Amino acid sequence: MGVRVGAAAVGARRAAVTTLLMNLASIVERADEGILPAVYMFIGRSLDASLSQLGTLTLCRALVQALSSPFSGILGDRYDRSYVVAAGCLIWGVMTASIGLSRSLGQAMVSCAVNGFGLALVIPCVSSMIADYHPPETRGNAFGMMSLTASLGGMAGSFFATNIGGMRPMGIEGWRFAFHLVAAISVLTAALVYKHAVDPRHLNHHPSVHSGQHAAVTAPAGSDVEAPQARTSGKPAHASRDQVWQDVKSVLRIRSFQLIVLQASTTGIVGSIPWVAMTWFTAWLQLLGFSDLQAAGLMATFSFGCALGGLLGGTLGDRLVRRLPSSPNGRILTNQLSVLLGLPLSFLLLKGLPMAASMDAYRALYGAVLFVFGLSISWCGCNNSALMAELVPEQQRSSIFAFDRSFEGAIGAMGAPLVGLTAERLFGFHGALATSGGSGPVRENVTALSSALLVCMVVPWIFCLLSFTALHWTHARDRKRALQRGGEGAQEVKVEAVQLLEAAPIRKRVETASSRSLTAL
């Protein structure tokens, strides 16, 4: 396995640091995504925005993020992915601060759109690097851990933003302060990733890993070890546009990729619609009559359930893969079970729990249901990533993660405004967002928003089940073809990585000799 040898060339300590930083980037990315829907109520007041207009802010960001993701994949397959991730963190950090400075809905939309471009650069490269650092039998757990940490980041961001949104720290509107703080953390993350993360495909870019690589190897007189040539990417950096298009077509022709994206069209193209729709949960809880602090706590409970669910789903998928080593059905069955659990729990949460003028007595009940709901519906993402990592050669992983992100995000981006339009046009939501429950028009708005959320979650998930069913018949064949296509390229990576490992002792001896010579002088 070439990738594992390449990871060994990095060294255990730097590999651990890189994995930690990739998880940090995903944490901050999820926090950045989470603060906008967490402060819908406060942005609506400040910028005088309606329900559907607030959803359009998320649409602008998510649509640009989706359409830009293929660009991220192409960059990640040809350049140092740690630099691409650092650039993405920097761009989204600057534009997050710009959102906090917006004085009109139009300004906020433009800032959200450019913010989406920064976000698009990060996750495909992060997912690709996580796949490179872990073998197939543990990738589910690795992606589950990334899902866990990312969900914790989203939970922390949403909790903080919802609580501070109605305050005025240092004379600044609370929701603006939240954006500025996350922007500062994003820029710091960019600096850390740029300085310390290592792409195993680009070891020559990191002197601290293989400093003086060529000089050190060629210095010993009469050495019989040939200097290894640094592998700069799976394809040359100057790859022609025709070759780029060939890579794109090779990804799009994979039938299992089409099905995974379709369910990501149903859990991504259509299937990410429920997750985008759930960004309205904070506003829905506030409309029910929960205070800002209570709504933030309930959303934190839901996010914590999602975080544990991602890890649980990845672990279950790994165990089933070990029990069925020649079949991908273990991960697919795990995903189907997750969707099946989500359907009745959606009805229970949105239509089966009590509503009253005072919701204090039901806080624990809502919290318990939200936790179980989050724990049950979050198994698919990590297993989808593990399934897709098996479909293409290692050098194309950034592209396939990027195209998955693009296709599912482009349609999933409609989830937020779709909920608003469905609530307003089909179920009678009217007026602006209110801050408390009660009877009359406000209670009618709660019912309308609940119904819209239910429709935008249940219908896509039904399509998810159908897509996962078809995946049972296609994935094994597509995986075998991918292994055949990638065998030659993987062998090249392995040879180069082994050369790096074999050359390391010689470099060490040369460095030691040079150090002694300098000391003697």
Side-chain angles (χ1 to χ4, degrees), residues 60 143-144 185 244 335 394 438:
C60 289
F143 282 114
I185 296 174
V244 171
N335 289 355
E394 171 264 338

Side-chain angles (χ1 to χ4, degrees), residues 214-296:
H214 299 289
V217 174
T218 57
S223 172
D224 60 352
V225 177
E226 182 181 356
Q229 299 299 314
R231 173 184 173 88
T232 56
S233 70
K235 293 183 173 62
H238 58 273
S240 67
R241 283 175 292 182
D242 289 343
Q243 183 59 50
V244 171
W245 179 237
Q246 290 299 321
D247 287 350
V248 171
K249 289 195 294 185
S250 70
V251 170
L252 297 181
R253 281 197 295 262
I254 300 174
R255 184 58 54 85
S256 294
F257 172 72
Q258 297 168 0
L259 288 170
I260 293 173
V261 168
L262 178 62
Q263 70 77 36
S265 286
T266 42
T267 208
I269 283 183
V270 178
S272 65
I273 286 179
W275 288 98
V276 178
M278 281 183 271
T279 60
W280 285 102
F281 273 4
T282 301
W284 172 68
L285 291 169
Q286 289 169 317
L287 279 177
L288 278 170
F290 292 107
S291 67
D292 293 343
L293 179 60
Q294 290 171 338

Side-chain angles (χ1 to χ4, degrees), residues 364-382:
L365 177 61
Y366 273 79
V369 174
L370 281 166
F371 176 79
V372 174
F373 184 58
L375 186 69
S376 303
I377 65 173
S378 50
W379 302 356
C380 298
C382 53

Side-chain angles (χ1 to χ4, degrees), residues 287-493:
L287 279 177
L288 278 170
F290 292 107
S291 67
D292 293 343
L293 179 60
Q294 290 171 338
L298 289 171
M299 284 305 298
T301 301
F302 171 67
S303 298
F304 184 61
C306 290
L308 292 180
L311 183 60
L312 175 62
T315 301
L316 288 175
D318 284 347
R319 289 189 176 183
L320 286 176
V321 165
R322 286 192 289 269
R323 287 179 175 271
L324 303 169
S326 61
S327 171
N329 292 351
R331 297 197 192 279
I332 301 171
L333 289 171
T334 303
N335 289 355
Q336 288 179 305
L337 178 59
S338 179
V339 177
L340 283 172
L341 291 172
L343 293 174
L345 288 172
S346 299
F347 280 95
L348 173 63
L349 175 65
L350 295 168
K351 292 296 184 179
L353 298 183
M355 294 187 293
S358 176
M359 297 296 293
D360 290 343
Y362 302 111
R363 184 174 54 184
L365 177 61
Y366 273 79
V369 174
L370 281 166
F371 176 79
V372 174
F373 184 58
L375 186 69
S376 303
I377 65 173
S378 50
W379 302 356
C380 298
C382 53
N383 284 299
N384 283 346
S385 296
L387 286 168
M388 283 190 293
E390 300 173 355
L391 290 177
V392 293
E394 171 264 338
Q395 64 269 23
Q396 290 183 348
R397 277 190 189 136
S398 292
S399 292
I400 196 167
F401 282 119
F403 276 96
D404 170 62
R405 189 86 169 178
S406 175
F407 289 129
E408 72 174 57
I411 305 300
M414 298 189 302
L418 185 62
V419 170
L421 289 172
T422 303
E424 291 174 346
R425 303 292 176 83
L426 295 183
F427 298 108
F429 189 104
H430 57 277
L433 284 174
T435 58
S436 62
S439 58
V442 173
R443 185 58 62 197
E444 293 173 2
N445 282 348
V446 173
T447 303
L449 185 55
S450 298
S451 300
L453 283 168
L454 187 62
V455 169
C456 292
M457 289 162 57
V458 169
V459 173
W461 275 339
I462 292 174
F463 284 102
C464 281
L465 282 175
L466 299 177
S467 298
F468 280 132
T469 300
L471 203 59
H472 284 287
W473 282 272
T474 65
H475 189 276
R477 181 180 65 250
D478 290 333
R479 181 174 181 269
K480 182 178 180 180
R481 291 174 180 172
L483 290 173
Q484 292 172 346
R485 288 197 306 270
E488 182 177 346
Q491 183 63 28
E492 292 176 0
V493 179

Side-chain angles (χ1 to χ4, degrees), residues 29-275:
E29 187 260 358
R30 190 70 65 85
D32 189 272
E33 287 185 344
I35 58 175
L36 177 59
V39 295
Y40 272 162
M41 189 80 71
F42 311 110
I43 295 178
R45 291 181 198 159
S46 181
L47 302 182
D48 192 26
S50 68
L51 203 69
S52 55
Q53 287 173 330
L54 290 171
T56 303
L57 289 177
T58 299
L59 173 65
C60 289
R61 183 192 65 195
L63 193 58
V64 172
Q65 182 176 351
L67 296 177
S68 303
S69 288
F71 179 66
S72 168
I74 293 171
L75 286 178
D77 283 337
R78 285 159 179 77
Y79 300 98
D80 192 310
R81 289 169 292 178
S82 64
Y83 295 165
V84 177
V85 172
C89 292
L90 179 62
I91 293 171
W92 95 47
V94 172
M95 298 318 300
T96 297
S98 178
I99 296 172
L101 295 173
S102 300
R103 298 295 170 181
S104 69
L105 192 65
Q107 292 175 356
M109 285 181 179
V110 172
S111 297
C112 283
V114 183
N115 177 259
F117 175 73
L119 293 170
L121 294 178
V122 175
I123 294 303
C125 290
V126 167
S127 298
S128 175
M129 287 183 70
I130 291 293
D132 281 3
Y133 275 108
H134 294 85
E137 60 270 18
T138 63
R139 278 185 192 139
N141 187 52
F143 282 114
M145 182 59 68
M146 188 175 76
S147 175
L148 169 66
T149 55
S151 295
L152 292 176
M155 177 182 70
S158 298
F159 184 84
F160 172 74
T162 304
N163 275 296
I164 205 171
M167 305 178 185
R168 296 189 67 88
M170 296 184 291
I172 306 173
E173 288 181 279
W175 68 270
R176 298 181 189 275
F177 180 83
F179 277 99
H180 293 325
L181 182 60
V182 172
I185 296 174
S186 300
V187 173
L188 176 61
T189 301
L192 291 173
V193 170
Y194 180 82
K195 179 68 175 177
H196 299 291
V198 176
D199 186 340
R201 304 182 198 167
H202 296 269
L203 300 180
N204 60 310
H205 291 178
H206 303 276
S208 60
V209 179
H210 292 291
S211 58
Q213 173 180 314
H214 299 289
V217 174
T218 57
S223 172
D224 60 352
V225 177
E226 182 181 356
Q229 299 299 314
R231 173 184 173 88
T232 56
S233 70
K235 293 183 173 62
H238 58 273
S240 67
R241 283 175 292 182
D242 289 343
Q243 183 59 50
V244 171
W245 179 237
Q246 290 299 321
D247 287 350
V248 171
K249 289 195 294 185
S250 70
V251 170
L252 297 181
R253 281 197 295 262
I254 300 174
R255 184 58 54 85
S256 294
F257 172 72
Q258 297 168 0
L259 288 170
I260 293 173
V261 168
L262 178 62
Q263 70 77 36
S265 286
T266 42
T267 208
I269 283 183
V270 178
S272 65
I273 286 179
W275 288 98

